Amino acid sequence: VIVYNYQYMLDPKVANMVSKELEKECIVVFDEAHNIDNVCIEALSVNFNRRSLEAAAANVSKLNRLINTEKEADQARLNAEYQALVEGLTASGAIDATAADVL
């Protein structure tokens, strides 16, 4: 018989530590279960304030700008490599100049 507050068993932040010693097939009796819905809501709820949401939005915007910068740099690098490849193929005679213009 183990006796402790049922909040420990329902709160995912605590439940793994406290309840891991329970047998897979055991009976759990909740005293004061009429309050269980509020405890579940509280345990699984997250509160945000305006400042944290604004900071998160600013971080997402910053990340988006960084991703776009990297995409542009990658595209420029890819275009330069492609042009060097076409020029090398043209110089070696593997393709003619008119084919290079089409590529």
Side-chain angles (χ1 to χ4, degrees):
V1 174
I2 301 172
V3 178
Y4 56 79
N5 188 315
Y6 66 85
Q7 292 174 331
Y8 295 137
M9 190 166 215
L10 299 175
D11 188 335
K13 295 171 273 190
V14 182
N16 289 335
M17 294 183 295
V18 175
S19 303
K20 69 181 173 184
E21 299 299 321
L22 292 177
E23 305 236 354
K24 288 190 181 223
E25 293 190 25
C26 65
I27 297 172
V28 177
V29 178
F30 291 124
D31 186 23
E32 296 288 320
H34 63 276
N35 293 323
I36 203 166
D37 57 342
N38 292 333
V39 171
C40 290
I41 290 169
E42 184 179 321
L44 299 174
S45 296
V46 178
N47 293 321
F48 296 105
N49 61 32
R50 181 176 282 287
R51 181 186 297 168
S52 64
L53 289 175
E54 288 172 350
N59 285 334
V60 168
S61 295
K62 180 180 178 181
L63 183 59
N64 191 40
R65 285 191 304 275
L66 291 171
I67 289 170
N68 287 334
T69 300
E70 289 300 315
K71 282 182 178 179
E72 290 170 7
D74 287 346
Q75 184 65 43
R77 199 167 35 247
L78 182 61
N79 286 340
E81 289 176 17
Y82 176 76
Q83 288 303 318
L85 176 64
V86 171
E87 289 170 8
L89 290 171
T90 304
S92 70
I95 59 173
D96 61 25
T98 55
D101 291 338
V102 174
L103 294 176

